[in-house]
């Protein structure tokens, strides 16, 4: 019986050493990479669960706050019959105020609205004249102060609702709290004041001062405030009450001396 003998070729020692060194290191590197991936996957899942839990807890806290706020809010109480009557009585007054405001804004010129809007950009136009929004509000305030004194008696030298008013005292009371440059106290001093702009009769606008010479030639001894539509408000004389008069009345046409404009942007507080 013949036995076959396999001849093994010799393997270089350097190749054996390389195989022994690098094969285990590759396996170890592959195992470490897999463990890192697994760890990252678990960390991501843990973070997602934690964030979801935080969001749920935040929603529950907000809900509890809203419920507590709602429970602490007093319930709506229906108005009493007296309150309903008072509300109904106040409605015509509020509507009248709203109509007055709407009429005041009727001539608004289109333009941009902004917090930094300058007076030159916010112009009003009435009868070909222009005035700023601030001027218009001041005129409205002055007229309201004047009309609140209607029916009160004329008192020579008076300049307050408590003491009464004469003609210049009424003007002094209505305008001066709104001006940084105050008006003089007498009608003629107002008329002679060079800081007030003269106004032609055809260019009168609400809030202008109108002067008359009744007893003193070429000097103003009476003053009123123009309201528009040919009317002015005045404290006439002893024995009479503060009233609204017609500028086109024959008496006032004959005594008319001139007009001055008080409300300007430069003099407003």
């Amino acid at each position: 019986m013949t036995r076959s003998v396999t001849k093994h070729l010799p393997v270089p020692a350097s190749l054996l050493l390389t195989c022994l060194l690098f094969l285990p290191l590759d396996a170890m590197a592959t195992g470490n990479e897999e463990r890192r991936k697994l760890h990252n996957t678990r960390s991501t899942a843990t973070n997602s669960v934690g964030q979801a839990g935080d969001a749920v807890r935040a929603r529950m806290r907000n809900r509890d706050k809203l419920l507590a706020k709602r429970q602490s809010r007093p319930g709506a109480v229906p108005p009493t019959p007296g309150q309903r009557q008072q509300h109904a009585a106040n409605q015509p007054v509020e509507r009248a105020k709203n109509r007055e405001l709407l009429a005041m804004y009727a001539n608004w010129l289109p333009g941009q609205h902004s917090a930094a809007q300058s007076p030159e950009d916010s112009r009003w136009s009435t009868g070909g004249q222009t005035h700023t929004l601030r001027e218009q509000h001041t005129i409205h305030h002055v007229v309201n102060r004047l009309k609140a004194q209607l029916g009160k008696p004329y008192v020579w030298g008076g300049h307050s609702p408590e003491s009464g008013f004469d003609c210049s005292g009424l003007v002094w009371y209505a305008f001066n709290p709104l001006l940084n440059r105050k008006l003089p106290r007498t009608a003629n001093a107002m008329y002679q004041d060079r800081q007030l702009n003269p106004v032609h009769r055809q260019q009168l606008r609400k809030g202008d001062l109108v002067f008359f010479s009744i007893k003193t030639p070429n000097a103003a001894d009476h003053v009123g405030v123009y309201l528009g539509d040919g009317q002015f408000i005045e404290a006439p004389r002893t024995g009479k009450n503060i009233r609204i008069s017609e500028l086109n009345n024959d008496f006032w046409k004959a005594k008319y001396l001139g007009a001055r404009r008080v409300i300007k942007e430069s003099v407003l507080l």
Side-chain angles (χ1 to χ4, degrees):
M1 179 176 181
T2 304
R3 178 179 295 176
S4 62
V5 178
T6 303
K7 187 176 180 180
H8 295 280
L9 296 175
V11 178
S14 59
L15 181 59
L16 285 174
L17 181 60
T18 302
C19 292
L20 291 173
L21 289 175
F22 285 97
L23 283 176
L25 288 176
D26 290 343
M28 185 181 297
T30 302
N32 289 340
E33 183 65 26
E34 291 178 353
R35 281 192 294 273
R36 278 197 297 271
K37 289 182 180 179
L38 180 60
H39 176 73
N40 290 339
T41 303
R42 290 176 178 174
S43 298
T44 302
T46 302
N47 291 337
S48 299
V49 172
Q51 291 173 357
D54 291 342
V56 170
R57 285 190 289 273
R59 285 197 295 271
M60 292 180 67
R61 285 195 299 271
N62 291 338
R63 186 190 64 177
D64 293 340
K65 288 180 182 179
L66 290 173
L67 288 174
K69 186 176 181 180
R70 182 176 180 180
Q71 290 171 358
S72 64
R73 187 182 303 163
V77 178
T80 64
Q83 290 173 332
R84 285 196 292 268
Q85 290 178 357
Q86 184 65 36
H87 177 69
N90 289 338
Q91 278 185 334
V93 178
E94 294 298 326
R95 290 194 184 107
K97 289 181 180 178
N98 290 337
R99 282 194 293 269
E100 189 174 357
L101 288 173
L102 287 171
M104 187 174 73
Y105 286 97
N107 294 314
W108 173 258
L109 294 180
Q112 294 181 348
H113 287 268
S114 70
Q117 199 172 26
S118 66
E120 289 75 13
D121 293 331
S122 57
R123 309 299 291 187
W124 291 74
S125 176
T126 304
Q129 302 170 4
T130 59
H131 39 286
T132 68
L133 178 62
R134 190 159 166 255
E135 289 172 350
Q136 187 71 13
H137 281 308
T138 303
I139 293 169
H140 185 68
H141 193 178
V142 166
V143 170
N144 284 343
R145 287 172 65 85
L146 290 167
K147 288 184 175 180
Q149 311 310 318
L150 282 171
K152 294 183 179 179
Y154 175 97
V155 176
W156 187 85
H159 55 81
S160 72
E162 293 76 23
S163 64
F165 298 96
D166 60 15
C167 66
S168 58
L170 179 63
V171 174
W172 190 87
Y173 161 81
F175 281 87
N176 274 354
L178 309 174
L179 306 177
N180 59 36
R181 182 189 177 278
K182 309 305 180 185
L183 292 174
R185 176 61 183 84
T186 66
N188 197 51
M190 294 178 189
Y191 181 68
Q192 300 294 339
D193 191 341
R194 294 181 179 274
Q195 298 297 320
L196 304 182
N197 294 337
V199 182
H200 193 276
R201 183 165 180 166
Q202 276 68 40
Q203 295 178 333
L204 283 171
R205 77 180 188 197
K206 186 184 293 187
D208 289 342
L209 304 185
V210 286
F211 295 91
F212 305 89
S213 177
I214 298 176
K215 296 180 180 179
T216 310
N218 300 320
D221 53 15
H222 188 61
V223 61
V225 180
Y226 188 68
L227 301 178
D229 298 324
Q231 296 182 327
F232 68 99
I233 189 168
E234 58 161 341
R237 64 180 186 275
T238 302
K240 298 292 184 178
N241 297 332
I242 295 173
R243 66 189 183 186
I244 294 175
S245 301
E246 295 291 334
L247 192 59
N248 290 327
N249 177 277
D250 289 341
F251 175 82
W252 295 117
K253 285 170 67 175
K255 302 297 182 182
Y256 183 81
L257 187 62
R260 299 289 184 268
R261 181 151 299 157
V262 178
I263 302 300
K264 298 178 292 183
E265 188 71 32
S266 59
V267 302
L268 301 182
L269 286 175

